Amino acid sequence: MSRIQQRFADLQSAQKKALIPFITAGDPQPDVTVPTLHAMVSAGADLLEVGVPFSDPMADGPVIQAACERALKHHVTLHKVLDMVSDFRRNDDKTPVILMGYLNPIEVWGYAAFARAAADAGVDGVLTVDMPPEEAAEFTAAMKENAIDTIFLLAPTSDDARMQKVSEAASGFIYYVSFKGVTGANQLDVSSVATKLKQLRRHTTLPVGVGFGIRDAETAGQVAEIADAVVVGSVLVNQIAGLAGTPGAIPAALATTVADLRAGIDKAV
Amino acid sequence: MTQAVDSKAKQAPLPDERGHFGPFGGRFVAETLMLPLDELNAAYQKYLQDPEFQAELDRDLASFVGRPSPLYFAERWSREAGGARIYLKREDLNHTGAHKINNTVGQALLAKRMGKTRIIAETGAGQHGVASATIAARLGMECVVYMGAEDIKRQAINVYRMRMLGAEVVSVESGSKTLKDALNEALRDWVTNVDNTFYIIGTVAGPHPYPVMVRDFQTIIGREARQQILELEGRLPDALVACVGGGSNAIGLFHPFIDDEAVELYGVEGGGDGVETGRHAAPLCAGSSGVLHGNRTYLMEDSDGQITETHSVSAGLDYPGVGPEHAWLKDSGRATYVAVTDSEAIEAFHHLTHTEGIIPALESSHALAYVANLAPQMGKDKIIIINLSGRGDKDMHTIAQLEGIQQ
C-alpha cells in the first residue's frame, strides 16, 4: 500500500478528512521549505503538496506566479526540489508528499529517470497541471513502475466521459478543481461542487480532494463535509509572501494557519 | 528508419485526430479546457464542411481583407542579385497590413457561430491584436487583448490602434512581460470565462485544434501563390522562403506545396545577435523539444525545463516556441530552418525599400535577408517565392531609434 493510500485508509478509519496544504518549493528562499513542511505536519497537515517552480505557470493566479518567480530567483530546479524532499524524509517517513507543477521540467529530465529519482527522494505522487490523461500513457507507466501515484485534475467542465477517463488513469486520489478559473480566485460555490462530486463518485472509488478557492477554516469545513481531502494553497503562499522579509517567522506562522484550517475541518466532520 | 516506413509516415494525414504531428503537437492543458477544446474542434470540423460558412469566409477575405494578394515579381532585385527570379507574395497589402487577418476573420466567424460574445487574443508586436480588434469591431463583439508590458512600450502605435478599434488592451506584468507571458495571461482569462469567450490564438501553436485550424485559415496564402505562379511562369517554384516566429505565415505558404517534393521549403528564424551568442529567438535552429502553451514542440529552454528569454529586433519573432508542424517538418527533413541576425534583417529591410519601393515588416525582412544569399547561388532559370508577411509601417519607430543610435 502506498503512503497516500495508507494515509487515506487511516483517516477513513478515524472518520477524519484530509488537510493538504500547498507551498511552492524554495519560496521565498530554499532553506525555509523543509522546516515549513515539518511545521505544517505538526500543526495537522495529513499530506503535503510541494509546488515545483516553473517560468510559465499558466493555470495559476498572481499569488502562485509570484511564488514561482521568488523561487526561480534562487534557481530552485526540479533536482533541488527532490533534494528538499529527501531532506524532509530524514525526519518524516509517514507523511505523503505530492509534487505539483507543470510538465516541462519533468519532460526535459525524462520520465523514467525522473521517476526513479523522485521515488528515491521519497516522493509519493505527482500532479502535472498541463498533462491530461490523453497525453499521459508513457508518463503514467513510468511513475507506476516506481510506485509513484499519478494524480489528475477534474473540473466543472468535465463530463461523465472525462470523469471515467481520469478515473482510469489516476491513482492515490483525484483532485477536483472547484471552479473555472486560476488558483487564488474567490469563486467557491460549495453546492455546485457537491453536485459534481456526487456525479464523480459514480466513476471512482478513489478519494477525492477539492482545491481552489478555500481560504479559511469556514470554507475548509464546508468542503470537508463533501470531499475526502481539502487542498489549501494561495492563502498559505500569500502568507509566505508577506513574511518574505523575515523568513525565519514563516514555519510558525504557517503552522498557526494550518492548525486553524485543521480545526475548521474537524469541527465540520 | 527504412525508406518504406519513411514514405508511409509522409503519406499519413497529419495531424492525427488528437493533433499530433509525429511526437509534436497534442493537447497539454489543464483539465478545465479539455472539453471546451473538444467543442471548438467539433465546431471547426463542422464549419470546415459547411458551404455557407466557407462562402461567408470567402466573401470577407475578398471584400474586407482585400484578397487575393498579388504575387509580385521583384525584377530589379532579381537582376541585381544575379540568380533566381524572386517573387513576393504581398500579404503586406492585406487590410491591417499583415497575414494575421486571414486567421482572425476565420476564427471570429467561427466564434460567432458558436454563440460566443467575447473574444480574447494575445499579441507581441501588436499585429495579431490589431487584426483581432478589427474583426471584433466589424462583428460587434467585445475584445480583450493581452500584451506584455515590455511590448506595450515598444509598440505604442499598435496599442493605440487597438484601443481606437474598441478593444481593451491589458498590460501583462508577469514573467518576462513579453509575448509568452501574454499567452499565459490569455489562457488564464479563457479558463475563467470559457462559457462566453472565444480565444483567438494568432499562430500555429497552442493545444489541438489551434495549430491545424490556424494553418487551414492561412493556407489561402499558398493556394493563391500556387495558382499565381502557374499563371505567371507556367510551373511551380523551386524554393519557398518565409520567416518563422510561431510560424503561421510560413505554414500558410508551405502547406499547399508539401507534397511537391521538388519545391524546397526554407523557414527563417530570428537570429538576434547571432545564434552562437545565445541571444536569439531560434528554437528550431538552437532549441530542444519540450512542452509549453498546450503543445510539444521545439523550445528555448534551460537544462531544468524553464523557458528562457528570447531576443529579436522583431517583436513578432520574439517567442520561445514554434508551431508543432514546423518541428515535424524539421525532423522529417521536408523543410530547412535557418536563422538570420538582427543586423542582416535590417540590411534587407533597407535594401527592399530602396530597390523595389516596398517597406517590409522587420519579421518578413528575415526571409528577405536569407534570399539575398540564396538567390545568387541559384540559376537564372530558378524561381523563389518569399512570403512578404507584413508591411513595415509598424517598425518605423524601431528603425528610427536604431538609426538614431548609429548616427
Side-chain angles (χ1 to χ4, degrees):
Chain A
M1 196 179 261
S2 76
R3 269 195 208 102
I4 294 176
Q5 286 173 314
Q6 184 66 55
R7 179 53 51 103
F8 275 106
D10 292 348
L11 286 163
Q12 200 180 12
S13 43
Q15 293 191 311
K16 286 179 73 177
K17 297 298 179 76
L19 170 60
I20 312 181
F22 167 98
I23 60 170
T24 298
D27 171 31
Q29 59 190 55
D31 60 358
V32 171
T33 303
V34 173
T36 304
L37 294 176
H38 285 305
M40 294 195 299
V41 171
S42 303
D46 299 299
L47 298 85
L48 297 167
E49 265 191 16
V50 177
V52 179
F54 185 51
S55 53
D56 293 80
M58 288 151 274
D60 285 299
V63 169
I64 293 175
Q65 289 172 42
C68 285
E69 288 180 18
R70 287 191 296 268
L72 287 174
K73 267 195 195 131
H74 294 279
H75 306 288
V76 177
T77 63
L78 183 51
H79 285 84
K80 286 184 186 161
V81 176
L82 292 191
D83 290 343
M84 290 177 192
V85 177
S86 296
D87 192 6
F88 172 78
R89 278 278 169 254
R90 289 194 289 136
N91 296 307
D92 186 333
D93 65 355
K94 291 233 165 17
T95 309
V97 173
I98 297 135
L99 298 189
M100 182 168 183
Y102 294 81
L103 179 58
N104 203 45
I106 298 176
E107 171 99 1
V108 165
W109 192 329
Y111 297 163
F114 162 75
R116 282 193 297 273
D120 285 348
V123 169
D124 302 290
V126 176
L127 196 179
T128 41
V129 177
D130 55 346
M131 190 171 58
E134 281 86 341
E135 302 284 356
E138 194 191 323
F139 174 87
T140 307
M143 297 304 143
K144 203 174 207 170
E145 211 163 286
N146 291 278
I148 293 174
D149 284 318
T150 47
I151 292 128
F152 287 93
L153 301 174
L154 280 168
T157 50
S158 310
D159 59 4
D160 279 306
R162 295 209 55 76
M163 288 181 176
Q164 187 58 35
K165 199 172 283 183
V166 163
S167 298
E168 284 162 15
S171 59
F173 68 98
I174 288 173
Y175 186 134
Y176 182 75
V177 174
S178 71
F179 53 76
K180 288 173 263 189
V182 294
T183 54
N186 184 14
Q187 301 169 22
L188 182 66
D189 170 11
V190 178
S191 72
S192 72
V193 174
T195 309
K196 213 67 186 179
L197 293 198
K198 216 176 271 177
Q199 186 187 356
L200 171 56
R201 305 251 191 219
R202 293 201 294 269
H203 297 276
T204 186
T205 54
L206 285 174
V208 179
V210 171
F212 284 40
I214 297 157
R215 34 208 335 111
D216 50 26
E218 191 190 343
T219 44
Q222 289 167 358
V223 169
E225 287 178 37
I226 53 172
D228 303 300
V230 179
V231 187
V232 182
S234 292
V235 166
L236 299 169
V237 174
N238 211 15
Q239 205 173 356
I240 290 176
L243 294 168
T246 51
I250 289 171
L254 264 70
T256 305
T257 309
V258 167
D260 187 39
L261 294 163
R262 176 83 262 165
I265 292 170
D266 290 346
K267 200 172 123 191
V269 291
Chain B
M1 192 181 272
T2 67
Q3 198 61 45
V5 172
D6 196 22
S7 67
K8 196 180 161 204
K10 275 182 189 166
Q11 282 159 14
L14 288 176
D16 69 13
E17 78 282 356
R18 289 193 292 118
H20 296 104
F21 300 86
F24 303 109
R27 191 182 278 175
F28 294 87
V29 293
E31 172 65 22
T32 311
L33 293 177
M34 289 301 286
L35 204 71
L37 285 165
D38 278 342
E39 288 166 1
L40 171 62
N41 192 40
Y44 174 60
Q45 295 302 332
K46 177 181 161 196
Y47 290 113
L48 195 61
Q49 315 291 336
D50 176 14
E52 246 178 67
F53 177 84
Q54 290 300 331
E56 187 176 358
L57 178 59
D58 289 347
R59 265 199 312 278
D60 273 4
L61 290 175
S63 64
F64 188 63
V65 177
R67 304 206 70 89
S69 68
L71 187 67
Y72 168 81
F73 177 43
E75 195 174 352
R76 270 192 78 202
W77 184 22
S78 300
R79 198 165 54 231
E80 187 190 288
R85 296 163 66 79
I86 304 165
Y87 283 87
L88 305 176
K89 180 60 175 162
R90 298 291 307 275
E91 293 299 301
D92 61 314
L93 293 178
N94 292 341
H95 181 37
T96 71
H99 71 291
K100 292 290 186 190
I101 190 106
N102 302 328
N103 169 50
T104 59
V105 164
Q107 287 199 49
L109 291 180
L110 190 58
K112 202 174 79 173
R113 277 181 170 65
M114 289 177 74
K116 306 291 183 184
T117 54
R118 178 174 179 268
I119 63 176
I120 57 172
E122 83 294 339
T123 199
Q127 288 304 105
H128 175 58
V130 167
S132 298
T134 297
I135 191 65
R138 175 158 180 279
L139 297 177
M141 296 169 93
E142 184 188 347
C143 179
V144 177
V145 179
Y146 290 92
M147 190 166 183
E150 283 301 317
D151 290 334
I152 284 186
K153 272 191 256 166
R154 289 195 282 190
Q155 305 285 339
I157 293 286
N158 270 344
V159 174
Y160 186 57
R161 284 170 85 191
M162 287 184 268
R163 288 188 172 141
M164 195 144 56
L165 286 157
E168 181 192 348
V169 180
V170 178
S171 174
V172 177
E173 307 284 345
S174 57
S176 60
K177 303 181 175 62
T178 59
L179 178 56
K180 79 174 176 71
D181 309 286
L183 227 150
N184 293 337
E185 205 57 35
L187 283 166
R188 291 179 190 121
D189 178 312
W190 200 33
V191 91
T192 306
N193 301 297
V194 67
D195 293 336
N196 73 343
T197 297
F198 189 105
Y199 179 17
I200 301 188
I201 293 184
T203 192
V204 285
H208 179 64
Y210 282 100
V212 66
M213 178 170 69
V214 177
R215 173 191 83 191
D216 290 351
F217 287 132
Q218 291 293 0
T219 52
I220 184 77
I221 302 170
R223 292 199 308 271
E224 285 177 7
R226 192 185 171 88
Q227 194 185 343
Q228 288 165 325
I229 199 72
L230 287 173
E231 281 163 14
L232 290 165
E233 293 276 0
R235 69 175 186 90
L236 293 179
D238 299 285
L240 304 176
V241 183
C243 64
V244 177
S248 69
N249 92 78
I251 224 69
L253 177 64
F254 293 174
H255 199 262
F257 294 88
I258 281 181
D259 292 334
D260 303 304
E261 298 207 2
V263 180
E264 305 263 14
L265 311 176
Y266 295 97
V268 186
E269 297 193 293
D273 291 346
V275 167
E276 69 289 349
T277 66
R279 283 174 51 78
H280 59 83
L284 288 166
C285 292
S288 52
S289 176
V291 172
L292 179 71
H293 292 152
N295 61 138
R296 181 179 284 120
T297 187
Y298 280 90
L299 298 174
M300 308 258 304
E301 59 191 345
D302 67 16
S303 58
D304 186 46
Q306 308 295 342
I307 307 308
T308 53
E309 286 192 22
T310 52
H311 172 81
S312 172
V313 68
S314 136
L317 302 185
D318 218 349
Y319 178 65
V322 64
E325 191 161 12
H326 286 292
W328 167 249
L329 289 173
K330 171 191 160 75
D331 279 15
S332 69
R334 177 63 188 95
T336 305
Y337 295 90
V338 296
V340 151
T341 64
D342 287 352
S343 54
E344 290 169 321
I346 290 165
E347 193 185 324
F349 170 93
H350 285 300
H351 191 258
L352 191 78
T353 304
H354 287 152
T355 313
E356 298 288 346
I358 297 171
I359 301 178
L362 277 174
E363 289 77 8
S364 324
S365 298
H366 286 70
L368 301 170
Y370 185 68
V371 169
N373 287 321
L374 179 68
Q377 297 169 32
M378 294 170 71
K380 289 189 175 162
D381 57 334
K382 302 292 186 191
I383 301 166
I384 299 173
I385 298 177
I386 305 171
N387 196 358
L388 192 63
S389 55
R391 69 175 86 121
D393 307 34
K394 69 180 175 57
D395 298 312
M396 290 300 110
H397 184 64
T398 306
I399 294 288
Q401 260 189 337
L402 286 169
E403 314 276 284
I405 290 161
Q406 279 166 9
Q407 272 167 12

